Amino acid sequence: MKIDALNNYLNTLLQPERFSDYCPNGLQVEGKQEINKIVTGVTASMALLQAAHRANADAVLVHHGYFWRGEALPITGIKKRRIQFLLQHDINLFAYHLPLDAHAELGNNVMLAKRLGLQITGRAGEKEMLLLAELKSPQPLQNLVNLIETKLNRKPQVIGDLIKPIQKIALCTGAAQGYIEQAAAAGVDAYISGEISEQTVHVARESGMSYISAGHHATERYGIQALGEHLVQKFDLQHEFIDIDNPV
Ligand SMILES: [Zn+2]
């Protein structure tokens, strides 16, 4: 398919104009016009670009692309080498940040809830960025922690009493630990996000809500994969997800 058609489809599906984001969403670096194979990944690091090139990708789709608000504008150093690699190999780069976190069917939050087998019950918080979900019955925090470790293949960091019963959960993937007070205000038993800060510990302890830091990368692997699989259903495209391991 043509790059313009793919770009238009993605923008209609993910509606980036609804978000005030920290980066441009959509086609960030233009490459060849005809797309047969897409590679998806969490972050457009050099390792992912090289792996995508080896996999014969015509386009790379990621959650974390380039040109973040506040970063230096000159194309030098690491940024130069990444963009040079894309242009040399004529590979398109698409990035969808907040629109991919929040999407109702393919988003990182919904896909994480599904992976953990949680029942989605609603949304809460600023711009409804928190997804509310439930376990079928109350379970000790330890059970939820074990489930997350098994499903994400990564040991989470936990603040809370492991024997405390948990049923209502709020979640927001990535570096969304700053939403912890909004999660507590939503009246849940536990909040799951990707990272943790020093102050997250105190807010968790003082609110009485448990906090689980399940990994930024680990919690954001599933939206972009779901997007790639969705594109294969819709168009005559090949898709491969490439996981570049990241312990954070
Ligand atoms: Zn992220």
Side-chain angles (χ1 to χ4, degrees), residues 42-43 63-64 68 97 101 108 173-175 195 216-217 219-220:
V42 178
T43 300
H63 181 50
H64 302 137
W68 296 91
H97 184 236
D101 285 323
N108 280 321
T173 64
E195 295 192 39
H216 188 143
H217 176 88
T219 57
E220 295 197 327

Side-chain angles (χ1 to χ4, degrees), residues 1-2 4-10 12-13 35-36 38 227-239:
M1 72 185 297
K2 295 284 183 215
D4 283 351
L6 180 59
N7 194 20
N8 289 340
Y9 181 78
L10 287 168
T12 305
L13 180 71
I35 310 299
N36 294 304
I38 53 174
L227 179 60
E229 285 156 20
H230 173 85
L231 291 174
V232 168
Q233 303 292 318
K234 288 274 170 189
F235 303 105
D236 184 21
L237 289 171
Q238 288 175 270
H239 165 237

Side-chain angles (χ1 to χ4, degrees), residues 14-193:
L14 297 167
Q15 301 185 295
E17 66 284 353
R18 289 175 50 229
F19 298 84
S20 143
D21 211 335
Y22 315 98
C23 66
N25 285 291
L27 184 59
Q28 290 193 335
V29 179
E30 188 178 341
K32 63 191 71 164
Q33 293 301 300
E34 189 65 36
I35 310 299
N36 294 304
K37 171 137 187 199
I38 53 174
V39 158
T40 56
V42 178
T43 300
S45 62
M46 191 55 133
L48 179 69
L49 302 185
Q50 288 167 337
H53 176 54
R54 284 195 297 274
N56 283 320
D58 304 305
V60 175
L61 267 75
V62 294
H63 181 50
H64 302 137
Y66 303 153
F67 314 118
W68 296 91
R69 189 190 293 164
E71 78 177 21
L73 295 176
I75 299 174
T76 57
I78 288 172
K79 192 197 261 184
K80 177 246 176 180
R81 293 192 288 276
R82 289 170 170 184
I83 292 172
Q84 181 178 41
F85 188 89
L86 285 166
L87 294 175
Q88 254 171 8
H89 298 289
D90 218 12
I91 299 172
N92 295 277
L93 176 69
F94 286 91
Y96 288 94
H97 184 236
L98 295 182
L100 187 61
D101 285 323
H103 192 268
E105 277 117 49
L106 306 170
N108 280 321
N109 290 337
V110 165
M111 293 307 296
L112 179 63
K114 283 186 185 166
R115 188 158 183 94
L116 298 177
L118 304 175
Q119 195 183 339
I120 295 166
T121 55
R123 289 173 187 273
E126 190 191 327
K127 293 183 181 157
E128 302 203 312
M129 285 301 285
L130 297 175
L131 192 70
L132 301 177
E134 273 185 12
L135 289 162
K136 287 189 188 79
S137 59
Q139 306 261 343
L141 176 60
Q142 180 73 66
N143 290 14
L144 177 61
V145 171
N146 294 347
L147 175 73
I148 290 171
E149 181 169 353
T150 307
K151 294 288 184 183
L152 301 189
N153 196 23
R154 177 189 180 280
K155 203 172 182 59
Q157 192 170 358
V158 183
I159 310 301
D161 182 350
L162 291 169
I163 60 166
K164 201 173 164 187
I166 303 291
Q167 184 165 24
K168 292 181 177 177
I169 295 167
L171 60 88
C172 190
T173 64
Q177 67 269 42
Y179 292 156
I180 186 169
E181 285 175 81
Q182 296 183 36
V188 297
D189 307 313
Y191 177 42
I192 305 169
S193 186

